[in-house]
Amino acid sequence: MSAPALDAHTPFSIDSERLDSVRADVRTFLRAEIDAGTFVPACDSWMSGFDPEFSARLGSRGWLGVTIPEQYGGHGGSQLERVVIAEEVLAHGAPVAAHWIADRQMAPSLLNFGTEDQRQKYLPGIARGETFFAIGMSEPEAGSDLAAVRTRAVVDGDSWRLNGTKLWTTGAHLAHAMVVLARTDGEIGDRQKGLSQFVVDLPHPSVEIRPIHSIDGEAHFNEVVFHDAHLPQSALLGERGQGWTQVMSELAFERSGPERYLSTMPLLRAWVEELRRDGSSEEQQRTVGLLTARASTLRQMSQQVARELSAGGHPDVLAAMVKDLGSTFEGELVEQVRRASGVEPRFGGGRFAELLAQGVLHTPAFTLRGGTNEILRSIIGRGMGLR
Amino acid sequence: MTSHRDDIRDAVKQILAGSEPTIGAPIAHWDAQSWTNLTESGFADLGIAEESGGSGGDVTDAVDVAATIAASGVCLPIIEHGLACWVVSTTGLAKPTGTGTIGEDSSGIVAEESSGTVLLSGRISAVPWASIAQWLAVFDGHSVAVVDLAADGLVVHPGTDILGAPLCDVVMTGVVARSHAPTTVSASQVRSRGAALYSAAMAGSARAVVDATIRHTSDRTQFGRPLAKFQAVQQRLAQLASTVAQMERAVDEAAEALATDSTRAAVALASAKVVVSGAAADVAAAGHHLHGAIGFTREHPLGRYTGSLQSWRNRWGSADDWARVLASQILDDGPDLWDLITGGSDVASSDATSSDATSSDATIGARP
Ligand SMILES: Cc1cc2nc3c(=O)[nH]c(=O)nc-3n(C[C@H](O)[C@H](O)[C@H](O)COP(=O)(O)OP(=O)(O)OC[C@H]3O[C@@H](n4cnc5c(N)ncnc54)[C@H](O)[C@@H]3O)c2cc1C
């Protein structure tokens, strides 16, 4: 792993001054952007706020690809610095969906498993906020049971041929590439054995991307069909047959970040602003306090995961705990704010009502995406030695 | 730092292992021998400066002792004695000998000065351990009076909490205070310390519930398999473990913040009491549910821990009380909610979270 070594054995507080100044800079930038009207804070903006220009602005300030080494266009910073930036953009509901997956998990994955050519090809664009990725794990028959993927890649001369269907692929219609988990060896019954990962550049003449409309009226995710798609030999990511192990290490980054408890923070902040202006009842104060306490503690847990990841550890169980507690919290926040505010969630009824509407509509996704809470609990159970 | 904390926890475990704690709930008699061992070895007044008659160390040490004792299932007046000694130490008065205690709310007491002595009258409700302690610290927000619990004119009306530990009403009629002096600590500082210690103790009890429940579900067989092999059981165990990990994180953050960083402390402490008190009932419920009927019996250790959780939830402020304290830090012209959570520079410049958190006095003091 690249950057993580930087802060191994370094107590969190030592670079806290640097982190504070990064936080202050990002915050100043975000407030100026909001004041200039370049974005309106939204719930779940890391999934639905797709704004390439905004991504590029973050990139030009050095706030993307933070942990990518400088030789690949990154900034050689720490995982904790990345977390601080992530916390701020999420809490401000900034439109970060375009680069989110690339920056969060493709960068570490390419650094861990990619060839020199692959790193050169993708990492500088990721750090500039110009290269976007999608994740092709789920399939029609492989949801929680990811090892049941049927998409198959076979060798054909000096290239690969890919057939199969991926489902729920967020942002594939806008991404420059997607990483695909496919079977290269053995049969479906071989489960975790014989899987490999590929980086597929998009658009591709034999890759069909069909939008799927979601209950929020938008179309963030897709069905992606591979019609005998030819890929160069160099599309293989990491080692043939090591796809499962690689995907699990990718999931550590996918599951542990602050987006697993902060998706609805913009709603809580907007509500608090209203209460400060208009006054509050005892019940409303109680709700604000309960939610603040939980958010604050979840943040402490999430930072602990980041610290352990930084030190090269594998905090799988703790990360699963944070995602289980955090994604549950994101939904409960919406429910409690709705109840205590008495406001009808709707569009066109003001900023707060709209944030509430976004929160209500997005809530079902929180405990599904990135692995359902039941699956997370089974990981925790295994960590407790129950299985 | 971690190793120092581990040392304290290990030492307390060692001391408690030396005596035979009575397990089971409700408790029939309290473990006087453990208490003697603990006080004699100086662990009962950690977090109080040595020049004030304490054993030194900081509040983190006191928190660790409280958590370790709770996790061991031994029921002792550690928190009230420690708080009473600490409050007295802030006055410059000498530490009284014997076991002390303190009530959360002494507002029902009227003090009269008469020819150099102070006479106290009135009632303090729900004073833990008053029936076994020797002295009582009466704190009115400005000064501290030390009262002999066997003094003339003082009646202890005995009672217990649901765990069986003493919880008594103390009624005084012209009781002569043994000593009396002003203090610099505020009511909210005392309340904060009480809340921190009880949060830690509850996290300790909650950890014991998890451990006991894992052990039980791994040992107990039904349908030909250990219970822990059933997915429904695993899912509930995993949720229980996550909840308790969250409690522990909140307590650690509060203890560290109290000992080091005063701006962060107000938020961390309120958050800890909200998170811990708020989850206490869920932890108790999951523990009992997964134990089946055996956990409902008197001789089983589980009741000691779940009884603690249920008894202690509201000590020094309930989850709701502390939620309102936290909210007032934000809503009463305090910093933005996110600034408060991240402890950014905007927080440091705000009065709302100044070190003694006096701005929240009114709200905390207003508890029924
Ligand atoms: C908004 C959104 C975006 C997404 N983006 C992507 C993406 O970009 N790329 C991608 O690859 N995937 C993506 N996904 C898919 C996501 O990973 C899957 O939805 C998830 O893994 C669950 O799979 P499933 O939907 O097939 O549900 P299923 O696996 O069919 O599960 C249905 C229900 O059964 C429960 N269940 C299943 N198995 C078990 C078990 N063994 N024990 C107990 N309960 C069980 C589940 O917890 C769930 O409650 C996205 C999903 C959402 C909602």
Side-chain angles (χ1 to χ4, degrees):
Chain A
M1 216 172 279
S2 68
L6 274 178
D7 35 305
H9 315 302
T10 309
F12 196 39
S13 57
I14 290 199
D15 48 7
S16 75
E17 239 169 68
R18 157 143 190 84
L19 295 178
D20 285 349
S21 94
V22 171
R23 185 184 299 283
D25 290 347
V26 177
R27 214 175 261 193
T28 306
F29 163 80
L30 291 169
R31 284 177 184 162
E33 290 272 320
I34 293 172
D35 290 344
T38 59
F39 77 86
V40 178
C43 282
D44 214 13
S45 62
W46 64 273
M47 199 181 82
S48 45
F50 197 96
D51 183 345
E53 287 172 19
F54 185 83
S55 295
R57 284 203 292 284
L58 284 181
S60 72
R61 278 169 175 76
W63 294 332
L64 298 183
V66 168
T67 61
I68 298 175
E70 286 170 14
Q71 69 193 103
Y72 302 116
H75 309 286
S78 71
Q79 184 63 25
L80 300 176
E81 204 172 319
R82 204 197 84 79
V83 167
V84 163
I85 296 163
E87 285 181 345
E88 289 302 316
V89 295
L90 293 164
H92 286 80
V96 291
H99 66 262
W100 198 260
I101 289 165
D103 181 67
R104 171 183 74 189
Q105 73 201 85
M106 289 325 299
S109 200
L110 286 161
L111 285 167
N112 277 336
F113 309 115
T115 60
E116 186 57 28
D117 284 350
Q118 285 169 332
R119 293 176 182 189
Q120 302 274 7
K121 181 175 175 188
Y122 298 109
L123 291 175
I126 291 176
R128 283 196 307 272
E130 292 170 3
T131 301
F132 310 139
F133 268 81
I135 310 163
M137 292 189 196
S138 306
E139 295 185 5
E141 305 302 326
S144 297
D145 185 11
L146 186 57
V149 291
R150 290 158 186 240
T151 295
R152 186 172 270 279
V154 295
V155 178
D156 180 11
D158 60 357
S159 60
W160 293 93
R161 279 190 296 120
L162 196 56
N163 281 287
T165 302
K166 290 291 171 184
L167 201 55
W168 320 123
T169 320
T170 302
H173 55 307
L174 301 161
H176 301 99
M178 72 185 273
V179 61
V180 174
L181 180 67
R183 180 161 293 288
T184 44
D185 302 280
E187 299 305 319
I188 291 172
D190 291 329
R191 312 272 307 154
Q192 288 88 345
K193 273 183 283 181
L195 300 176
S196 305
Q197 280 189 298
F198 295 88
V199 184
V200 181
D201 290 329
L202 297 174
H204 185 293
S206 313
V207 179
E208 189 185 349
I209 300 176
R210 302 176 187 150
I212 300 173
H213 293 267
S214 42
I215 56 168
D216 57 356
E218 297 180 38
H220 324 283
F221 48 29
N222 305 272
E223 182 180 33
V224 180
V225 188
F226 303 98
H227 299 285
D228 214 19
H230 277 254
L231 309 177
Q233 197 78 64
S234 61
L236 179 71
L237 175 65
E239 229 179 290
R240 177 173 176 164
Q242 290 302 304
W244 184 261
T245 314
Q246 293 174 201
V247 157
M248 288 302 121
S249 109
E250 205 182 294
L251 279 171
F253 288 92
E254 178 171 348
R255 285 176 174 158
S256 64
E259 68 270 39
R260 300 308 182 179
Y261 72 99
L262 285 177
S263 301
T264 53
M265 181 52 72
L267 170 65
L268 180 57
R269 293 183 72 196
W271 186 47
V272 163
E273 263 174 49
E274 304 238 321
L275 296 178
R276 281 154 75 116
R277 198 187 55 222
D278 303 340
S280 52
S281 69
E282 269 217 356
E283 170 62 14
Q284 290 170 332
Q285 291 160 16
R286 196 182 68 94
T287 303
V288 167
L290 293 176
L291 294 172
T292 305
R294 284 172 71 185
S296 179
T297 305
L298 285 165
R299 176 166 177 270
Q300 298 304 331
M301 294 183 86
S302 171
Q303 294 217 340
Q304 195 181 334
V305 175
R307 283 197 293 273
E308 290 183 21
L309 272 178
S310 290
H314 300 281
D316 299 355
V317 171
L318 187 60
M321 285 179 169
V322 178
K323 186 171 181 294
D324 184 11
L325 295 165
S327 58
T328 304
F329 168 75
E330 292 177 325
E332 285 179 11
L333 185 159
V334 175
E335 183 56 26
Q336 292 191 24
V337 170
R338 178 180 183 167
R339 200 187 295 166
S341 69
V343 168
E344 174 74 15
R346 64 190 181 118
F347 296 98
R351 183 169 155 248
F352 175 63
E354 200 156 314
L355 279 162
L356 200 51
Q358 290 166 353
V360 170
L361 285 171
H362 282 234
T363 292
F366 300 157
T367 52
L368 292 174
R369 61 187 180 193
T372 73
N373 292 34
E374 284 70 28
I375 297 308
L376 297 168
R377 287 172 204 150
S378 74
I379 292 170
I380 298 165
R382 201 178 306 135
M384 292 164 76
L386 304 178
R387 280 147 44 101
Chain B
M1 189 170 91
T2 313
S3 74
H4 168 69
R5 294 186 63 179
D6 288 344
D7 288 348
I8 289 196
R9 287 170 183 262
D10 289 345
V12 171
K13 275 185 215 156
Q14 201 99 48
I15 292 166
L16 297 179
S19 56
E20 269 175 48
T22 46
I23 283 300
I27 56 171
H29 52 89
W30 76 293
D31 192 355
Q33 188 56 51
S34 289
W35 182 238
T36 305
N37 296 347
L38 208 67
T39 46
E40 281 175 359
S41 47
F43 283 92
D45 45 21
L46 272 171
I48 297 162
E50 287 176 47
E51 55 272 27
S52 306
S55 301
D58 60 24
V59 66
T60 317
D61 299 327
V63 156
D64 285 336
V65 172
T68 310
I69 293 174
S72 77
V74 185
C75 209
L76 301 174
I78 182 71
I79 294 180
E80 279 70 25
H81 175 75
L83 281 172
C85 289
W86 173 67
V87 167
V88 170
S89 79
T90 65
T91 63
L93 294 172
K95 194 183 98 177
T97 51
T99 301
T101 188
I102 186 170
E104 274 182 60
D105 180 8
S106 302
S107 61
I109 297 295
V110 179
E112 257 181 285
E113 288 228 37
S114 132
S115 56
T117 58
V118 171
L119 300 176
L120 303 170
S121 297
R123 168 187 287 259
I124 310 178
S125 296
V127 183
W129 301 100
S131 54
I132 63 101
Q134 280 83 48
W135 57 275
L136 170 73
V138 181
F139 169 65
D140 67 0
H142 309 284
S143 59
V144 179
V146 176
V147 176
D148 208 324
L149 280 161
D152 287 342
L154 188 148
V155 180
V156 174
H157 294 279
T160 71
D161 59 21
I162 60 174
L163 183 61
L167 192 63
C168 317
D169 289 350
V170 175
V171 177
M172 292 184 251
T173 319
V175 174
V176 180
R178 202 199 283 179
S179 56
H180 183 265
T183 171
T184 49
V185 292
S186 68
S188 80
Q189 279 175 298
V190 177
R191 192 162 280 277
S192 294
R193 197 168 168 117
L197 291 166
Y198 267 107
S199 296
M202 281 192 280
S205 297
R207 173 53 58 195
V209 170
V210 173
D211 291 348
T213 308
I214 292 174
R215 229 178 297 122
H216 176 73
T217 53
S218 303
D219 292 348
R220 164 94 172 150
T221 295
Q222 287 291 283
F223 302 98
R225 295 193 263 165
L227 295 174
K229 296 292 171 197
F230 291 96
Q231 195 200 35
V233 172
Q234 287 173 5
Q235 293 270 318
R236 189 124 193 218
L237 275 171
Q239 282 179 289
L240 173 64
S242 300
T243 303
V244 175
Q246 190 176 15
M247 285 177 160
E248 289 173 333
R249 187 67 218 126
V251 168
D252 272 353
E253 176 66 14
E256 282 160 26
L258 272 180
T260 55
D261 174 358
S262 54
T263 41
R264 174 91 198 117
V267 182
L269 182 113
S271 296
K273 194 66 166 66
V274 170
V275 165
V276 172
S277 286
D282 288 345
V283 170
H288 275 297
H289 191 72
L290 291 168
H291 268 81
I294 188 72
F296 193 64
T297 60
R298 177 169 192 159
E299 63 267 29
H300 197 281
L302 183 70
R304 188 60 80 85
Y305 304 115
T306 57
S308 305
L309 288 167
Q310 290 289 14
S311 291
W312 299 345
R313 276 163 68 182
N314 291 15
R315 296 266 165 99
W316 300 96
S318 67
D320 283 3
D321 294 329
W322 283 101
R324 281 195 295 270
V325 170
L326 201 47
S328 75
Q329 289 174 27
I330 300 162
L331 297 175
D332 303 343
D333 286 328
D336 170 82
L337 175 141
W338 177 246
D339 293 345
L340 188 85
I341 289 176
T342 52
S345 49
D346 303 20
V347 174
S349 63
S350 157
D351 296 336
T353 51
S354 64
S355 59
D356 66 355
T358 40
S359 62
S360 39
D361 250 17
T363 324
I364 312 178
R367 280 192 63 242

